[in-house]
Amino acid sequence: MFDKIDHIGVAVAAIEPALELWRDRLQLDVGHREISHEQGVEAVLLDVGADHVELLAPLGPDTPVGKFLAKRGPGLHHVAYTVSDIDATLTALEHAGMRLIDKRARVGLRDSRVAFVHPKAAGGVLIEVVQPPASHAGGGR
């Protein structure tokens, strides 16, 4: 069902202080930076080989990541998996009895198609399913 781990999402209060750790101290290269008003986040993808760590800072306290930080504080937010056909994957997940946050894919970073599986259906872990656009078909969000 899943091709590979695409990225690990980490919720942070603000991008610049987080970059001091992840980019400067841990020496991970910034692969992409984007503000997604639809998702209510500023996101930075840091390259780890062919995979990524995604830093997510909320654009406001009433966004999903803002609410996550208020409830749990900074740290692991989600695990994302690459798929080749997100529509088929969502259908298969639903047929397997998985509770979906998104029954239909939406636009993610770099024009990928993304959807989320509810953490209550996945042992407490928020799962993101990512179908990269054709221009990134080799993987990576």
Side-chain angles (χ1 to χ4, degrees), residues 17-113:
L19 284 174
E20 289 177 18
L21 168 64
W22 293 89
R23 179 194 59 209
D24 301 342
R25 290 189 208 147
L26 298 176
Q27 300 181 4
L28 299 179
D29 292 328
V30 173
H32 182 75
R33 189 170 185 164
E34 182 176 332
I35 293 176
S36 172
H37 292 285
E38 178 182 288
Q39 295 184 30
V41 296
E42 179 175 7
V44 173
L45 292 175
L46 298 149
D47 297 335
V48 183
D51 302 315
H52 307 286
V53 170
E54 178 185 52
L55 303 179
L56 299 162
L59 296 180
D62 59 342
T63 63
V65 174
K67 291 174 185 176
F68 177 92
L69 285 169
K71 185 176 181 181
R72 299 188 180 173
L76 180 64
H77 183 263
H78 67 272
V79 177
Y81 298 92
T82 301
V83 299
S84 57
D85 184 341
I86 196 166
D87 298 317
T89 300
L90 291 174
T91 298
L93 287 167
E94 193 165 35
H95 281 107
M98 300 296 287
R99 181 175 168 194
L100 304 178
I101 293 173
D102 303 299
K103 292 185 184 242
R104 295 173 47 102
R106 52 184 153 134
V107 176
L109 296 185
R110 298 196 295 186
D111 295 321
S112 60
R113 296 180 68 213

Side-chain angles (χ1 to χ4, degrees), residues 5-9 76-81 125-129:
I5 292 178
D6 186 83
H7 66 273
I8 304 298
L76 180 64
H77 183 263
H78 67 272
V79 177
Y81 298 92
V125 177
L126 178 63
I127 293 176
E128 181 179 13
V129 181

